[in-house]
Amino acid sequence: MALRHGRGYAAVNYPTGMNLGGDPSQALVHATTMGGFVVTLSSVDLGQGLRTVVAQCAAETLGIPIEHIIVDTADTDTGPHCMGTFASRGTHRVGNAVIMAAREAREVMLQVAADELEVDAEDLETDGTGFIRLKGSSEMKIHVSDVALAAHFRQGRTISGRGIFLKEPSTPVPETGEMDPDSCQAHACTVAEVEVDDETGVIEVLRLYNTYEVGRALNPAIATQQVEGGAWMGLSHALFESTEPYYPGSREHGPVDFVEYLMPGPADIPAQTSVFLERPAGNGPFGAKGIGEMTANAPIPAIANAVYDAVGVRLTSMPFTPEKVLRGLDALRAGRAG
C-alpha cells in the first residue's frame, strides 16, 4: 500500500456570449456638475468584478482617473436594457457598450473644453490626470471639473453618451449547418498534480497550474481571482459535490444545508499557479474575451486524468469518491488475476 502520485492535463475552449436575438447590452454615461462621470447599467455584478472593469473601460475611454467614475447598476426598471449576467458575456458586451457611450460623452466634453479655451476640439487631448490640454502645450489646459461646471452653468450642455453592443443573430446555413453563434472563444489548459492513497482511495489535489488565453486581461488581479476561484469550484465538483445523490428521495437522505453538503475547506485548496496569454479579440473591449464560466471546467478532467496517471483507474462520473477509486483498483486486480 502506498501514496501514488500522478499528473493530468485538460484543455477547454469556451464561447463568449450567446446567439439570443442579438444578445444586446446598453450603457449610459453622463457627467456630474463637478466632473465625475456616472455609468448607468442594468447589468449585475455577481462578485466577478464587473463594476471595476466597467469603471476601467469608462476611465480609459474618457481619459480621466478611475476615481472619477461612479458605476450605478440601477435595476431593470430604471436602467438601460441588458440581457443579463450569464454566458461569460459581462465584460465583453457591457464593456463594449460602455466604451461606445464614453466615446460619445468624450466628444461633447472636448467640445465644451474647446469652447472654453477658444481652440479646436481636434487639437485637444486628455492627460489621464483630469486635465484636458492643447496638444504640445503644458500651459493651455483646463480641468474636467471646470469643463463640467462650464457645460452645466454657462454653455447649457449635457456631457453624456449612449452605447449598445449588439451581436447580430446567426442562423444555420441549411446546406452545411454553418453558423456564428458567439463573438469569440477563450481557451484554457489546467495541469493537476494529485496524490492517491491506494489503500483508502482518498484523492488529494496537491497543485493546479492554470494557463488562460482570454484575449486581454483588463484587470489581471481580478482575472486571477476568477481563475483560481473557478478552479476551487471545479475541485469541489470533482471530489465533493453531488447535485442529487439520493434522487428522487433527496430530502429524506441527502444534504439539506451547507453543514451537511460537502465542499472543499481551506485545508483542501491546492497551491495554484495561474498565467495569462494575451491574444486580443478584435471585437472585444480593448481586446477582452469572456472568462467567467470556463474556469470551473478544465480542472475536473485534469484531476481525473491525474488519478488515472497515478493508479490506472479511469473515473467517468463525479464526484471522484474513495469508493469509486477502490472499486476501480479492485477491478484492475481482478483483471490481472483473470
Side-chain angles (χ1 to χ4, degrees):
M1 303 302 175
L3 297 176
R4 307 291 183 87
H5 290 81
R7 176 179 290 173
Y9 302 75
V12 61
N13 71 299
Y14 207 86
T16 296
M18 297 183 70
N19 190 36
L20 294 175
D23 197 20
S25 284
Q26 299 180 6
L28 302 175
V29 172
H30 77 272
T32 67
T33 55
M34 294 303 295
F37 279 80
V38 179
V39 180
T40 305
L41 308 167
S42 288
S43 310
V44 177
D45 190 327
L46 302 175
Q48 77 276 34
L50 182 64
R51 292 169 67 96
T52 300
V53 170
V54 161
Q56 288 180 256
C57 290
E60 182 71 18
T61 305
L62 290 163
I64 65 174
I66 193 171
E67 294 78 15
H68 292 197
I69 304 296
I70 301 169
V71 178
D72 177 12
T73 53
D75 58 46
T76 52
D77 285 332
T78 60
H81 177 262
C82 178
M83 286 292 288
T85 303
F86 59 88
S88 302
R89 67 186 294 283
T91 293
H92 188 277
R93 300 294 195 263
V94 181
N96 274 319
V98 168
I99 289 171
M100 180 184 293
R103 283 175 178 163
E104 187 174 289
R106 176 185 169 90
E107 289 182 9
V108 182
M109 178 180 72
L110 292 180
Q111 187 57 60
V112 172
D115 292 346
E116 291 298 304
L117 295 172
E118 298 182 344
V119 298
D120 290 332
E122 294 78 9
D123 295 330
L124 294 177
E125 62 184 3
T126 51
D127 68 358
T129 70
F131 282 94
I132 300 170
R133 65 186 182 188
L134 185 66
K135 295 176 183 177
S137 171
S138 59
E139 300 297 326
M140 186 169 287
K141 61 184 179 181
I142 184 171
H143 198 270
V144 172
S145 60
D146 295 318
V147 174
L149 286 168
H152 281 83
F153 298 108
R154 189 158 47 246
Q155 297 187 22
R157 305 184 69 175
T158 299
I159 301 177
S160 62
R162 303 153 298 170
I164 181 171
F165 182 84
L166 178 70
K167 165 68 171 68
E168 294 185 5
S170 175
T171 55
V173 177
E175 293 77 16
T176 64
E178 176 186 4
M179 65 182 303
D180 179 25
D182 52 57
S183 296
C184 51
Q185 302 237 345
H187 306 83
C189 178
T190 293
V191 179
E193 293 182 354
V194 305
E195 182 179 84
V196 184
D197 189 323
D198 64 5
E199 182 176 8
T200 65
V202 171
I203 302 167
E204 181 179 357
V205 180
L206 303 176
R207 296 177 189 84
L208 292 174
Y209 301 91
N210 310 300
T211 301
Y212 277 74
E213 185 279 298
V214 293
R216 176 170 289 152
L218 300 187
N219 190 306
I222 289 178
T224 300
Q225 289 174 334
Q226 277 207 296
V227 167
E228 298 187 355
W232 176 89
M233 295 174 65
L235 170 69
S236 189
H237 284 303
L239 300 185
F240 293 87
E241 297 188 61
S242 182
T243 307
E244 291 288 355
Y246 295 97
Y247 183 84
S250 301
R251 297 293 297 179
E252 291 78 16
H253 304 288
V256 297
D257 55 37
F258 287 115
V259 174
E260 298 178 2
Y261 188 90
L262 290 179
M263 292 183 289
D268 303 304
I269 300 174
Q272 296 194 53
T273 301
S274 301
V275 176
F276 293 99
L277 305 177
E278 295 198 328
R279 302 289 187 273
N283 60 11
F286 302 109
K289 300 177 181 179
I291 185 177
E293 293 164 304
M294 68 186 296
T295 56
N297 292 0
I300 299 172
I303 292 169
N305 289 335
V307 172
Y308 179 79
D309 183 52
V311 295
V313 173
R314 179 63 72 188
L315 299 171
T316 58
S317 64
M318 298 181 291
F320 308 147
T321 61
E323 178 184 0
K324 292 177 182 177
V325 173
L326 294 177
R327 288 185 181 279
L329 288 172
D330 287 345
L332 288 175
R333 295 187 188 104
R336 285 195 292 267

Coordinates of all heavy atoms in Angstrom, one line a residue, residues 256-317:
V256 N -29.2 18.8 3.4 CA -30.3 19.8 3.4 C -29.8 21.2 3.7 O -30.5 22.2 3.6 CB -31.4 19.4 4.4 CG1 -32.1 18.1 4.0 CG2 -30.9 19.3 5.8
D257 N -28.5 21.3 4.1 CA -27.9 22.6 4.3 C -26.4 22.5 4.1 O -25.9 21.4 3.8 CB -28.2 23.1 5.7 CG -27.8 22.1 6.8 OD1 -26.7 21.5 6.7 OD2 -28.5 22.0 7.8
F258 N -25.7 23.6 4.3 CA -24.2 23.6 4.0 C -23.4 23.0 5.1 O -22.2 22.9 5.0 CB -23.8 25.1 3.7 CG -24.2 25.5 2.3 CD1 -25.1 26.6 2.2 CD2 -23.8 24.9 1.2 CE1 -25.6 27.0 1.0 CE2 -24.2 25.4 -0.1 CZ -25.1 26.4 -0.2
V259 N -24.0 22.6 6.2 CA -23.3 21.9 7.2 C -23.1 20.4 6.7 O -22.1 19.8 6.9 CB -24.1 21.9 8.5 CG1 -23.4 21.0 9.5 CG2 -24.1 23.3 9.1
E260 N -24.1 19.9 6.1 CA -24.1 18.5 5.6 C -23.6 18.4 4.1 O -23.1 17.4 3.7 CB -25.5 17.9 5.6 CG -26.1 17.8 7.0 CD -27.5 17.2 7.0 OE1 -27.9 16.9 5.9 OE2 -28.1 17.1 8.1
Y261 N -23.7 19.5 3.4 CA -23.3 19.5 2.0 C -21.8 19.7 1.9 O -21.3 20.8 2.2 CB -24.0 20.6 1.2 CG -23.8 20.5 -0.3 CD1 -24.7 19.8 -1.1 CD2 -22.8 21.3 -0.9 CE1 -24.5 19.7 -2.5 CE2 -22.7 21.2 -2.3 CZ -23.5 20.5 -3.1 OH -23.3 20.4 -4.4
L262 N -21.0 18.8 1.4 CA -19.6 18.8 1.5 C -19.0 19.7 0.3 O -19.4 19.6 -0.8 CB -19.0 17.4 1.4 CG -19.1 16.5 2.6 CD1 -18.5 15.2 2.3 CD2 -18.5 17.2 3.8
M263 N -18.1 20.6 0.7 CA -17.3 21.4 -0.2 C -15.9 21.5 0.3 O -15.7 21.3 1.5 CB -17.9 22.8 -0.4 CG -19.3 22.8 -1.1 SD -19.9 24.5 -1.4 CE -20.3 24.9 0.3
P264 N -14.9 21.8 -0.5 CA -13.6 21.9 0.0 C -13.4 23.1 1.0 O -13.9 24.2 0.8 CB -12.7 22.3 -1.3 CG -13.6 21.8 -2.4 CD -15.0 22.0 -2.0
G265 N -12.7 22.8 2.1 CA -12.4 23.8 3.0 C -11.0 24.3 2.8 O -10.3 23.9 1.8
P266 N -10.5 25.3 3.6 CA -9.2 25.9 3.4 C -8.1 24.8 3.3 O -7.1 25.0 2.5 CB -9.0 26.8 4.6 CG -10.4 27.1 5.0 CD -11.2 25.9 4.7
A267 N -8.1 23.8 4.0 CA -7.1 22.8 4.0 C -7.1 21.9 2.8 O -6.1 21.2 2.5 CB -7.2 21.9 5.2
D268 N -8.2 22.0 2.0 CA -8.3 21.2 0.8 C -7.9 21.9 -0.5 O -7.9 21.3 -1.6 CB -9.8 20.7 0.6 CG -10.3 19.9 1.8 OD1 -9.6 18.9 2.2 OD2 -11.3 20.3 2.4
I269 N -7.6 23.2 -0.3 CA -7.3 24.0 -1.5 C -5.9 23.8 -1.9 O -5.0 24.1 -1.1 CB -7.6 25.5 -1.3 CG1 -9.1 25.7 -0.9 CG2 -7.3 26.4 -2.5 CD1 -9.5 27.1 -0.5
P270 N -5.6 23.4 -3.1 CA -4.2 23.2 -3.5 C -3.5 24.5 -3.8 O -4.1 25.6 -4.1 CB -4.3 22.3 -4.8 CG -5.6 22.8 -5.4 CD -6.5 23.1 -4.2
A271 N -2.2 24.5 -3.9 CA -1.4 25.6 -4.4 C -1.7 25.8 -5.9 O -1.8 24.8 -6.6 CB 0.1 25.3 -4.2
Q272 N -1.8 27.0 -6.3 CA -2.2 27.3 -7.7 C -1.2 28.3 -8.3 O -0.7 29.2 -7.7 CB -3.6 27.8 -7.8 CG -4.7 26.9 -7.4 CD -6.0 27.3 -7.8 OE1 -6.3 27.6 -9.0 NE2 -7.0 27.4 -6.9
T273 N -0.9 28.0 -9.6 CA -0.1 29.0 -10.4 C -0.9 29.3 -11.6 O -1.4 28.4 -12.3 CB 1.2 28.4 -10.8 OG1 2.0 28.0 -9.6 CG2 2.1 29.4 -11.6
S274 N -1.2 30.6 -11.9 CA -2.0 31.0 -13.0 C -1.3 32.0 -13.9 O -0.7 32.9 -13.4 CB -3.3 31.6 -12.5 OG -4.0 30.7 -11.6
V275 N -1.4 31.7 -15.2 CA -0.7 32.5 -16.2 C -1.7 32.9 -17.3 O -2.6 32.1 -17.7 CB 0.5 31.7 -16.8 CG1 1.1 32.5 -17.9 CG2 1.5 31.4 -15.7
F276 N -1.6 34.1 -17.8 CA -2.4 34.5 -18.9 C -1.6 34.7 -20.2 O -0.6 35.3 -20.2 CB -3.1 35.9 -18.5 CG -4.1 35.7 -17.4 CD1 -3.8 36.1 -16.1 CD2 -5.4 35.2 -17.6 CE1 -4.7 35.9 -15.1 CE2 -6.3 35.0 -16.6 CZ -5.9 35.4 -15.3
L277 N -2.2 34.2 -21.3 CA -1.7 34.5 -22.6 C -2.6 35.5 -23.3 O -3.8 35.3 -23.3 CB -1.6 33.2 -23.4 CG -0.8 32.0 -22.8 CD1 -0.9 30.8 -23.7 CD2 0.6 32.4 -22.6
E278 N -2.1 36.6 -23.8 CA -2.9 37.6 -24.4 C -2.9 37.6 -25.9 O -1.9 37.8 -26.5 CB -2.5 39.0 -23.8 CG -2.7 39.1 -22.3 CD -2.7 40.6 -21.9 OE1 -2.0 41.4 -22.5 OE2 -3.4 40.9 -20.9
R279 N -4.1 37.3 -26.5 CA -4.3 37.3 -27.9 C -5.6 38.1 -28.1 O -6.7 37.6 -28.1 CB -4.5 35.9 -28.5 CG -3.3 35.0 -28.2 CD -2.1 35.4 -29.1 NE -1.1 34.4 -29.0 CZ -0.1 34.3 -28.0 NH1 -0.1 35.3 -27.1 NH2 0.8 33.4 -28.0
P280 N -5.5 39.5 -28.2 CA -6.7 40.3 -28.1 C -7.7 40.0 -29.2 O -7.4 39.7 -30.4 CB -6.1 41.7 -28.3 CG -4.7 41.6 -27.9 CD -4.2 40.2 -28.2
A281 N -9.0 40.0 -28.8 CA -10.1 39.7 -29.7 C -10.4 41.0 -30.4 O -10.5 42.1 -29.8 CB -11.3 39.2 -29.0
G282 N -10.6 41.0 -31.7 CA -10.9 42.2 -32.5 C -12.2 42.9 -32.1 O -12.3 44.1 -32.3
N283 N -13.1 42.1 -31.6 CA -14.4 42.7 -31.3 C -14.6 42.8 -29.8 O -15.7 43.1 -29.3 CB -15.6 41.9 -31.9 CG -15.6 40.4 -31.3 OD1 -14.9 40.1 -30.4 ND2 -16.4 39.6 -32.0
G284 N -13.6 42.6 -29.0 CA -13.7 42.8 -27.5 C -13.3 44.1 -27.0 O -12.6 44.9 -27.7
P285 N -13.8 44.5 -25.9 CA -13.4 45.8 -25.3 C -11.9 45.8 -24.9 O -11.5 45.1 -24.0 CB -14.3 45.9 -24.0 CG -14.6 44.5 -23.7 CD -14.7 43.8 -25.0
F286 N -11.1 46.6 -25.7 CA -9.7 46.6 -25.5 C -9.1 45.2 -25.7 O -8.1 44.8 -25.2 CB -9.3 47.2 -24.2 CG -9.7 48.6 -23.9 CD1 -10.7 48.8 -23.0 CD2 -9.2 49.6 -24.7 CE1 -11.2 50.1 -22.8 CE2 -9.7 50.9 -24.5 CZ -10.7 51.2 -23.6
G287 N -9.8 44.4 -26.5 CA -9.3 43.0 -26.8 C -9.8 41.9 -25.9 O -9.4 40.7 -26.1
A288 N -10.6 42.2 -24.9 CA -11.0 41.2 -23.9 C -12.0 40.2 -24.4 O -12.9 40.5 -25.2 CB -11.6 41.9 -22.6
K289 N -11.9 38.9 -23.9 CA -12.9 37.9 -24.1 C -13.5 37.6 -22.8 O -13.1 38.0 -21.7 CB -12.2 36.6 -24.7 CG -11.5 36.8 -26.0 CD -10.8 35.5 -26.4 CE -10.1 35.7 -27.7 NZ -9.4 34.4 -28.2
G290 N -14.6 36.7 -22.8 CA -15.2 36.3 -21.6 C -14.3 35.2 -20.9 O -13.6 34.4 -21.5
I291 N -14.4 35.2 -19.5 CA -13.6 34.2 -18.8 C -14.4 33.5 -17.7 O -14.0 32.5 -17.2 CB -12.5 35.0 -18.1 CG1 -11.5 34.0 -17.4 CG2 -13.0 36.1 -17.1 CD1 -10.3 34.7 -16.8
G292 N -15.6 34.0 -17.4 CA -16.3 33.6 -16.2 C -16.5 32.1 -16.0 O -16.0 31.5 -15.1
E293 N -17.3 31.5 -16.8 CA -17.8 30.1 -16.6 C -16.7 29.1 -16.8 O -16.7 28.0 -16.2 CB -19.0 29.8 -17.4 CG -20.2 30.6 -17.0 CD -21.3 30.6 -18.1 OE1 -21.0 31.0 -19.3 OE2 -22.4 30.2 -17.8
M294 N -15.9 29.3 -17.8 CA -14.9 28.3 -18.2 C -13.9 27.9 -17.1 O -13.3 26.8 -17.2 CB -14.2 28.7 -19.4 CG -13.2 29.9 -19.2 SD -12.4 30.5 -20.6 CE -11.5 29.2 -21.2
T295 N -13.8 28.7 -16.1 CA -12.7 28.5 -15.1 C -13.0 27.2 -14.2 O -12.1 26.7 -13.6 CB -12.6 29.7 -14.2 OG1 -13.8 30.0 -13.6 CG2 -12.1 30.9 -15.0
A296 N -14.2 26.7 -14.2 CA -14.5 25.5 -13.4 C -14.4 24.3 -14.2 O -14.5 23.2 -13.7 CB -15.9 25.6 -12.8
N297 N -14.2 24.4 -15.5 CA -14.3 23.3 -16.4 C -13.0 22.4 -16.5 O -13.1 21.2 -16.2 CB -14.6 23.7 -17.8 CG -16.1 24.3 -17.9 OD1 -16.8 24.3 -16.9 ND2 -16.4 24.7 -19.1
A298 N -11.9 23.0 -16.8 CA -10.7 22.2 -17.1 C -10.2 21.5 -15.9 O -9.6 20.4 -16.0 CB -9.6 23.1 -17.7
P299 N -10.3 22.0 -14.6 CA -9.7 21.3 -13.5 C -10.3 19.9 -13.3 O -9.7 19.0 -12.8 CB -10.1 22.2 -12.3 CG -10.1 23.5 -12.9 CD -10.7 23.4 -14.2
I300 N -11.6 19.7 -13.7 CA -12.3 18.4 -13.4 C -11.6 17.3 -14.2 O -11.2 16.3 -13.7 CB -13.8 18.5 -13.7 CG1 -14.4 19.6 -12.8 CG2 -14.5 17.2 -13.5 CD1 -15.9 19.9 -13.1
P301 N -11.6 17.4 -15.6 CA -10.9 16.3 -16.3 C -9.4 16.2 -16.0 O -8.8 15.1 -16.1 CB -11.2 16.6 -17.8 CG -11.5 18.1 -17.8 CD -12.2 18.3 -16.5
A302 N -8.8 17.3 -15.7 CA -7.4 17.3 -15.4 C -7.1 16.4 -14.1 O -6.2 15.6 -14.1 CB -6.8 18.7 -15.1
I303 N -8.0 16.6 -13.1 CA -7.9 15.7 -11.9 C -8.2 14.3 -12.2 O -7.5 13.4 -11.8 CB -8.9 16.3 -10.8 CG1 -8.4 17.6 -10.3 CG2 -9.0 15.3 -9.7 CD1 -9.4 18.4 -9.5
A304 N -9.2 14.0 -13.1 CA -9.5 12.7 -13.4 C -8.3 12.0 -14.2 O -8.0 10.9 -13.9 CB -10.7 12.6 -14.3
N305 N -7.7 12.8 -15.1 CA -6.5 12.2 -15.8 C -5.3 12.0 -14.9 O -4.5 11.1 -15.1 CB -6.1 13.2 -16.9 CG -7.1 13.2 -18.1 OD1 -7.8 12.2 -18.3 ND2 -7.2 14.2 -18.8
A306 N -5.2 12.9 -13.9 CA -4.1 12.7 -12.9 C -4.3 11.5 -12.1 O -3.3 10.7 -11.8 CB -4.0 14.0 -12.0
V307 N -5.5 11.2 -11.7 CA -5.8 9.9 -10.9 C -5.5 8.7 -11.8 O -4.9 7.7 -11.3 CB -7.3 9.9 -10.5 CG1 -7.7 8.6 -9.9 CG2 -7.6 11.0 -9.5
Y308 N -5.9 8.8 -13.0 CA -5.5 7.7 -13.9 C -4.0 7.5 -14.0 O -3.5 6.3 -14.0 CB -6.1 7.9 -15.3 CG -5.9 6.8 -16.3 CD1 -6.6 5.6 -16.3 CD2 -4.9 7.0 -17.3 CE1 -6.3 4.6 -17.2 CE2 -4.6 6.0 -18.2 CZ -5.3 4.8 -18.1 OH -5.0 3.8 -19.0
D309 N -3.3 8.6 -14.1 CA -1.9 8.5 -14.2 C -1.3 7.9 -12.9 O -0.3 7.2 -13.0 CB -1.3 9.9 -14.4 CG 0.2 9.9 -14.6 OD1 0.7 9.2 -15.4 OD2 0.9 10.7 -13.9
A310 N -1.9 8.2 -11.8 CA -1.4 7.7 -10.5 C -1.7 6.2 -10.3 O -0.8 5.5 -9.8 CB -2.0 8.6 -9.4
V311 N -2.9 5.8 -10.5 CA -3.3 4.4 -10.1 C -3.9 3.6 -11.2 O -4.3 2.5 -11.0 CB -4.2 4.5 -8.9 CG1 -3.5 5.0 -7.7 CG2 -5.5 5.3 -9.2
G312 N -4.1 4.2 -12.4 CA -4.6 3.5 -13.5 C -6.1 3.3 -13.5 O -6.7 2.5 -14.3
V313 N -6.8 4.0 -12.7 CA -8.3 3.9 -12.6 C -8.9 5.1 -13.4 O -8.6 6.3 -13.1 CB -8.8 4.0 -11.1 CG1 -10.3 4.1 -11.1 CG2 -8.3 2.7 -10.4
R314 N -9.7 4.8 -14.3 CA -10.4 5.8 -15.1 C -11.8 6.1 -14.5 O -12.7 5.3 -14.5 CB -10.6 5.3 -16.6 CG -11.3 6.3 -17.5 CD -10.5 7.6 -17.6 NE -9.3 7.4 -18.5 CZ -8.4 8.3 -18.6 NH1 -8.5 9.5 -18.0 NH2 -7.4 8.1 -19.4
L315 N -11.9 7.3 -14.0 CA -13.1 7.8 -13.3 C -13.9 8.6 -14.3 O -13.4 9.5 -14.9 CB -12.8 8.6 -12.1 CG -12.0 7.9 -11.0 CD1 -11.5 8.9 -9.9 CD2 -12.8 6.8 -10.4
T316 N -15.2 8.2 -14.5 CA -16.0 8.9 -15.5 C -17.3 9.5 -14.9 O -18.1 10.1 -15.7 CB -16.4 7.8 -16.6 OG1 -17.1 6.8 -15.9 CG2 -15.2 7.2 -17.3
S317 N -17.5 9.5 -13.6 CA -18.6 10.2 -13.0 C -18.2 10.9 -11.8 O -17.3 10.4 -11.0 CB -19.8 9.2 -12.7 OG -19.3 8.2 -11.8

